[in-house]
Amino acid sequence: ILNVEQSPQSLHVQEGDSTNFTCSFPSSNFYALHWYRWETAKSPEALFVMTLNGDEKKKGRISATLNTKEGYSYLYIKGSQPEDSATYLCAFRNSGNTPLVFGKGTRLSVIA
Amino acid sequence: DTAVSQTPKYLVTQMGNDKSIKCEQNLGHDTMYWYKQDSKKFLKIMFSYNNKELIINETVPNRFSPKSPDKAHLNLHINSLELGDSAVYFCASSPIEQGNEQYFGPGTRLTVT
């Protein structure tokens, strides 16, 4: 059974602070690592899909890095805003024929 | 235009009933999925369909059956509903290529009484 761990489980930051959280996944047989943003009462929205070791992706104030050899990915948010408040999910896939395995998410609350 | 849509959004039914949840995607994607969000808010894959073939079937009770009338639809049928089936069910779709994300529907909240 594949294990995808996210930390911290929840996080409270002040508006304007930068923050980051971690996704850990098995370091063998890597295929893809996904990050999703999930607001309450909505559906998960894709942020990034990362497929190569050393990948760095950026979308606005949000960026992510990937280390497949050691099995982790970081998600960074620069200058957090209240609208960034959501649960951030990572999901790992070890082949093209296997499903995404989701972590339990990091719940971010940005306080104005 | 809604990319991935699900109906109904809410479904309340009694134990023992049979119900269906519909999912449609207008993105031209090759693969569609059903996920269950459990009581701990954890997303778990139930099924995926690629070109009308079931390619992944996790250890889901056989009371649950996916049906795909065409590439744009993947419906979820549930027979003999049980209390433990109460959850939010999400449909998703994606292109088949490695680097493509999944697009999720809005979810269907199923309550079994």
Side-chain angles (χ1 to χ4, degrees):
Chain A
I1 297 176
L2 295 176
N3 207 24
V4 178
E5 300 283 345
Q6 290 188 245
S7 62
Q9 187 175 1
S10 64
L11 191 56
H12 292 76
V13 301
Q14 293 289 329
E15 182 177 0
D17 287 351
S18 294
T19 187
N20 65 84
F21 13 96
T22 307
C23 173
S24 300
F25 52 86
S27 57
S28 58
N29 298 324
F30 177 85
Y31 184 78
L33 191 284
H34 295 223
W35 280 101
Y36 289 86
R37 180 173 179 275
W38 195 2
E39 290 183 70
T40 303
K42 295 187 177 179
S43 53
E45 178 186 348
L47 289 172
F48 307 113
V49 178
M50 310 177 82
T51 57
L52 297 175
N53 184 42
D55 259 356
E56 291 189 28
K57 296 209 172 181
K58 186 175 181 181
K59 185 182 290 188
R61 294 179 292 99
I62 304 176
S63 59
T65 61
L66 178 68
N67 184 325
T68 61
K69 293 185 178 180
E70 296 184 37
Y72 64 84
S73 175
Y74 293 135
L75 188 80
Y76 301 90
I77 302 178
K78 185 178 178 182
S80 303
Q81 300 296 309
E83 58 265 30
D84 295 329
S85 298
T87 296
Y88 291 83
L89 295 172
C90 74
F92 168 78
R93 202 170 182 185
N94 64 357
S95 81
N97 292 324
T98 54
L100 281 175
V101 177
F102 280 83
K104 294 185 178 180
T106 293
R107 182 183 293 276
L108 174 67
S109 298
V110 182
I111 304 162
Chain B
D1 286 344
T2 304
V4 182
S5 60
Q6 294 178 228
T7 53
K9 191 171 181 180
Y10 301 96
L11 180 56
V12 181
T13 188
Q14 292 184 329
M15 283 175 58
N17 285 348
D18 302 338
K19 290 293 179 184
S20 296
I21 306 172
K22 294 184 178 180
C23 178
E24 177 180 1
Q25 54 97 3
N26 62 6
L27 299 166
H29 288 167
D30 304 294
T31 309
M32 296 183 70
Y33 312 83
W34 276 104
Y35 289 88
K36 180 180 180 181
Q37 182 188 10
D38 64 20
S39 57
K40 297 182 179 179
K41 308 297 183 187
F42 198 25
L43 271 181
K44 290 186 178 178
I45 186 74
M46 298 177 72
F47 303 104
S48 72
Y49 252 75
N50 183 353
N51 291 327
K52 300 185 69 172
E53 290 186 41
L54 179 66
I55 59 172
I56 302 169
N57 185 349
E58 295 296 310
T59 53
V60 173
N62 58 14
R63 298 181 295 104
F64 291 79
S65 57
K67 288 189 170 39
S68 180
D70 55 58
K71 187 178 169 181
H73 295 84
L74 182 66
N75 303 325
L76 183 65
H77 296 266
I78 316 169
N79 294 325
S80 302
L81 278 155
E82 300 178 357
L83 292 176
D85 298 333
S86 296
V88 182
Y89 293 85
F90 286 94
C91 176
S93 72
S94 73
I96 200 169
E97 291 81 12
Q98 179 184 12
N100 286 292
E101 63 264 28
Q102 293 184 11
Y103 291 78
F104 283 80
T108 295
R109 181 175 293 278
L110 171 65
T111 303
V112 182
T113 61

